[in-house]
Amino acid sequence: MNALLSPFTRARSGSSLKVELIVVLALKAALLFALKELFFSHPAAENMQLPPAVVAQALLHAPASVKGARHAK
């Protein structure tokens, strides 16, 4: 525990701002990685798997224009 607190103690004493920035950035990166793995690494349900061709078609397909549709003027 003492080894974990030593970078914070040194940085707070004003001897090294670099150490404090590196520790904070490392903690933020670790937190972001953990959140990504926790929430975005697996689909919400196993039955939500789609073939890549279907996904590509849905993303690249232009919507059909409707005849007689009036746009706001």
Side-chain angles (χ1 to χ4, degrees):
M1 182 81 176
N2 195 13
L4 181 64
L5 294 177
S6 63
F8 292 114
T9 307
R10 281 185 301 191
R12 297 225 180 243
S13 67
S15 64
S16 177
L17 180 61
K18 288 182 184 179
V19 172
E20 186 175 0
L21 289 174
I22 290 170
V23 169
V24 168
L25 289 175
L27 288 173
K28 284 185 176 184
L31 180 64
L32 286 173
F33 180 75
L35 288 173
K36 178 188 146 299
E37 288 296 316
L38 185 64
F39 293 111
F40 299 107
S41 62
H42 302 291
E46 293 298 324
N47 60 353
M48 291 178 67
Q49 300 286 335
L50 288 176
V54 173
V55 175
Q57 182 182 7
L59 291 174
L60 300 176
H61 180 62
S65 62
V66 178
K67 286 188 175 182
R70 295 183 179 223
H71 299 286
K73 292 182 181 180

